[in-house]
């Protein structure tokens, strides 16, 4: 029998972000945020919904906050993390599927060309992800994710993916939690891809993760009761279905919601549509020096997934949503960048994984790629 | 605009059970349980999974307990509570559906013959329930449930349905919660029928309720973002799909599970299938004096829904599941029965709702019916 947990291996990999968040919380609750409008707006909101006697006071059980994951809590460029796992799964399963060598998007995946594999759009992609993640029990899949995350590294930064989380958002999660909020992830990513690690990395337990899913089935396998993952789509937790996923899992309307793309628009609309004080925030990826710049709002490069469009930018302005400029509003992007620059840290990396240069990379990514070759 | 909450009305209706649970907790955590094997087994289990250094110790985040609702936490006889709401909904909608007067099961429902309406089986029934509960927004439906529960009474006992909860189970919920457990409802009943009241009655918030559901859709209605209930089945949370619902919502295997019928068997099997200490319990409705006797295990009368079959009884024995005899193991069944007998209390009821005698009722139910006419 496989065991469900290997705590020693996995905890070590996850210790860094949580430790940083804990230290940060002691003094200023949001030390990685510059003292600009977004930080002030967040703290003013939390103050008014938590102060007894405030006209905007919200009882603890109703302090629900929802967070998108890819591009909001962790880095989703050059492609979302789950795609790297998918690539590795396709490689592992390829010997049983010789037809994949010529069949798209598998052929592109096997060549390592993730961007070409993305050409089929988000829905097709999710179906592929689901198909390559099915057939095993949920316990076996959880172990696949844990084992993979313990060693797989970001192709450009050379760090574990679980270290490519945004330090300011870790602080925000801890700050909200300390103020009686219950934080949920509401992501287009696979619910079972996230659950094995969100508790250690974000302090968000599995039951507070909402995501896309495939169907599953209860059965007795070798005399033991298991849940088997079926190659059939169950729910895509994106765009107008994010409020549906929220309602299905949580059953309350959030009072605060955080996202970064058109996939989050309806979640923010739904949040704002409730009575009383509400807080909506979008992360704008405009930091070419420390992360990946993409929009295409405000003249930033276009991307296929996770787009912050000019229309979304307009919508945010019209409805009073807070937009965080990573460049201007965040002192620090990733954990461990506080006293030295990102480039200083990254220059010290000895075993970067990436072997392919990006043509349109930011100065930061270009430099990492050069360094790593 | 409708408001989401009417706290003053609803809190008054719900205050009784919680108050009782609070008082009970102060001394013996399970005062309504006789000092028999089930109580001892529960307390021994909780002790061994919570005592630091115990070989069976379970960390707090993994202390997940799942509870069936109908027949496990509250009374499901003569028919499950949601059917009474369904009946009232059918009556309210009947003027718009003249065809219902001759079309089953609506015709039987309109005549008040719930047992005949049940003849189509559980799945057909759930579809009817869902169909009569669709078309409105989720906020409107929540208000329908709240308004209905504030006045609707059990047809035999004449008490609010939310007072027809099992006092020993309220104590058990509080006892587990005090020991770091997170309690979930996992019920075949409608998830949105339960969520409006489970927090006040059981201390179980909406996000910890798993149940059957219809599909929903996000849309802008009169310029406001709402979720609309569609007349299409989404998920039936029963039998082999209870573990599926648990996995989908919670993402962890429970370490304790509580039920009362064949609909709960797989939930208990799934719970037991995990590693380490586990606790599985079934409630046997063998108390003709204080509740409704049904099985058909152990010679008790047969019922269509919520059956505790001889095969389930055998299964429980074989796998070491605890079976609670309501008659022998519970000092008290409903809140407010501690110092006088059920019959004494019920004789004092001045405005019982029931107007139809049962032919096969227990002595208790026959007496109530007589008294009420």
């Amino acid at each position: 029998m496989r065991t469900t947990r290997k705590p020693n291996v996995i905890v070590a990999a996850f210790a860094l972000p949580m430790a940083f968040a804990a230290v940060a919380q002691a003094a200023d609750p949001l030390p990685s945020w510059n003292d600009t409008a977004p930080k002030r707006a967040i703290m003013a909101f939390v103050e008014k919904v938590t102060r007894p006697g405030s006209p905007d006071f919200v009882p603890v059980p109703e302090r629900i906050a929802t967070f998108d994951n890819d591009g909001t809590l962790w880095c989703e460029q050059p492609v979302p993390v789950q795609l790297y796992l998918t690539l590795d799964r396709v490689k592992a399963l390829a010997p049983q599927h010789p037809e994949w060598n010529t069949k798209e998007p598998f052929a592109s995946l096997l060549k390592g060309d993730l961007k070409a594999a993305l050409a089929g759009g988000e829905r097709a992609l999710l179906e592929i992800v689901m198909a390559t993640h099915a057939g095993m029990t949920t316990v076996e899949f959880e172990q696949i994710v844990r084992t993979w995350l313990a060693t797989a590294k970001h192709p450009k930064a050379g760090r574990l993916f679980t270290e490519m989380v945004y330090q300011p958002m870790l602080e925000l999660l801890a700050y909200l939690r300390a103020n009686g909020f219950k934080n949920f992830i509401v992501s287009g990513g696979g619910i079972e891809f996230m659950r094995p690690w969100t508790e250690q990395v974000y302090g968000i337990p599995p039951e507070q993760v909402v995501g896309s899913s495939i169907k599953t089935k209860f059965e007795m396998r070798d005399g033991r009761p298991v849940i088997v993952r079926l190659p059939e789509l169950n729910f895509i937790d994106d765009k107008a279905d994010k409020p549906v996923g929220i309602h299905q899992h949580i059953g309350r309307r959030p009072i605060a919601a955080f996202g970064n793309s058109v996939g989050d628009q309806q979640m923010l609309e739904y949040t704002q549509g409730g009575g009383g004080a509400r807080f909506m925030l979008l992360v704008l990826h405009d930091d070419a020096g420390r992360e990946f710049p993409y929009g295409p709002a405000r003249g930033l490069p276009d991307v296929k997934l996770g787009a912050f469009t000019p229309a979304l930018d307009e919508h945010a302005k019209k409805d009073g949503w807070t937009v965080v400029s990573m460049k201007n509003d965040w002192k620090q992007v990733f954990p461990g960048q506080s006293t030295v620059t990102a480039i200083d840290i990254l220059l010290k990396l000895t075993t970067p994984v990436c072997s392919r240069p990006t043509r349109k990379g930011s100065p930061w990514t270009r430099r990492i790629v050069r360094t790593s070759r």
Side-chain angles (χ1 to χ4, degrees), chain A:
Chain A
M1 276 301 296
R2 286 175 176 82
T3 55
T4 315
R5 308 272 153 129
K6 289 198 174 173
N8 292 343
V9 177
I10 208 79
V11 166
F14 289 137
L16 185 64
M18 291 298 275
F20 266 87
V23 171
Q25 192 71 4
D28 174 0
L30 301 173
S32 298
W33 294 69
N34 285 321
D35 187 26
T36 46
K39 177 175 179 171
R40 279 180 243 141
I42 290 167
M43 296 185 74
F45 170 75
V46 170
E47 196 276 335
K48 74 180 173 184
V49 298
T50 58
R51 182 171 44 80
S54 159
D56 294 308
F57 180 79
V58 176
V60 167
E62 292 171 28
R63 294 181 198 161
I64 302 290
T66 55
F67 291 81
D68 170 58
N69 185 41
D70 294 312
T72 299
L73 295 179
W74 77 350
C75 180
E76 64 175 342
Q77 296 295 343
V79 297
V81 179
Q82 196 169 357
L83 268 185
Y84 294 108
L85 171 61
T86 305
L87 173 60
D88 288 346
R89 293 286 306 153
V90 167
K91 282 179 183 164
L93 297 170
Q96 302 156 41
H97 298 274
E99 75 278 11
W100 284 358
N101 285 312
T102 52
K103 187 180 169 189
E104 287 298 347
F106 298 100
S108 292
L109 282 174
L110 287 171
K111 285 180 209 138
D113 190 348
L114 292 173
K115 298 227 170 193
L118 279 182
E122 195 164 354
R123 190 171 181 103
L125 172 68
L126 270 169
E127 292 196 23
I128 299 156
V129 170
M130 299 306 171
T132 57
H133 292 38
M136 69 294 281
T137 70
T138 54
V139 172
E140 288 163 353
F141 183 71
E142 182 180 330
Q143 198 53 50
I144 286 168
V145 173
R146 287 178 180 275
T147 304
W148 184 80
L149 276 178
T151 58
K153 286 181 177 156
H154 189 277
K156 308 221 178 286
R159 302 179 73 176
L160 293 176
F161 286 110
T162 46
E163 294 173 339
M164 297 297 287
V165 294
Y166 302 131
Q167 175 66 23
M169 297 306 278
L170 296 181
E171 294 165 6
L172 178 57
L173 289 167
Y175 174 55
L176 291 176
R177 198 162 40 237
N179 279 282
F181 281 75
K182 202 181 253 191
N183 299 324
F184 287 79
I185 289 175
V186 179
S187 167
I191 190 169
E192 296 197 47
F193 170 67
M194 296 182 282
R195 281 173 161 168
W197 52 273
T198 56
E199 189 156 30
Q200 289 99 330
V201 174
Y202 301 138
I204 296 179
E207 60 269 25
Q208 288 164 224
V209 177
V210 184
S212 298
S213 58
I214 52 177
K215 289 193 186 297
T216 61
K217 181 173 174 265
F218 174 80
E219 66 177 45
M220 302 299 289
R221 192 172 268 196
D222 303 327
R224 297 187 66 92
V226 296
I227 294 176
V228 176
R229 292 168 57 81
L230 305 176
E232 187 186 345
L233 210 54
N234 180 54
F235 182 66
I236 296 187
D237 188 49
D238 200 27
K239 299 193 172 71
D241 278 337
K242 282 207 175 186
V244 169
I246 288 171
H247 182 72
Q248 179 70 20
H249 277 259
I250 309 176
R252 312 194 211 237
R253 201 185 284 244
I255 65 167
F258 304 83
N260 77 304
S261 81
V262 291
D264 303 312
Q265 180 179 321
Q266 289 87 348
M267 173 167 78
L268 270 60
E269 286 174 348
Y270 181 58
T271 300
Q272 188 162 31
R278 305 278 155 163
F279 189 77
M280 288 66 57
L281 182 148
L282 290 169
V283 175
L284 179 71
H285 293 262
D286 60 353
D287 195 327
R290 298 179 298 181
E291 212 235 5
F292 297 83
Y294 57 105
R298 307 190 190 183
L300 292 162
D302 197 0
V303 288
K304 286 207 186 304
L305 288 178
F308 193 125
T309 61
L312 182 64
D313 205 13
E314 274 306 303
H315 197 111
K317 196 180 295 174
K318 179 174 68 69
D319 282 355
W321 300 350
T322 295
V323 175
V324 167
S325 156
M326 290 179 76
K327 183 175 177 182
N328 300 323
D329 298 319
W330 285 0
K331 267 186 208 146
Q332 180 182 344
V333 174
F334 298 112
Q337 295 179 322
S338 52
T339 53
V340 288
T341 68
I343 290 174
D344 288 337
I345 287 180
L346 290 161
L347 282 174
K348 292 178 190 163
L349 292 171
T350 51
T351 54
V353 167
C354 176
S355 59
R356 296 163 50 85
T358 51
R359 292 189 190 177
K360 294 182 187 169
S362 68
W364 176 69
T365 55
R366 277 203 302 277
R367 180 153 183 185
I368 299 317
V369 172
R370 272 205 310 279
T371 309
S372 71
R373 298 189 88 204

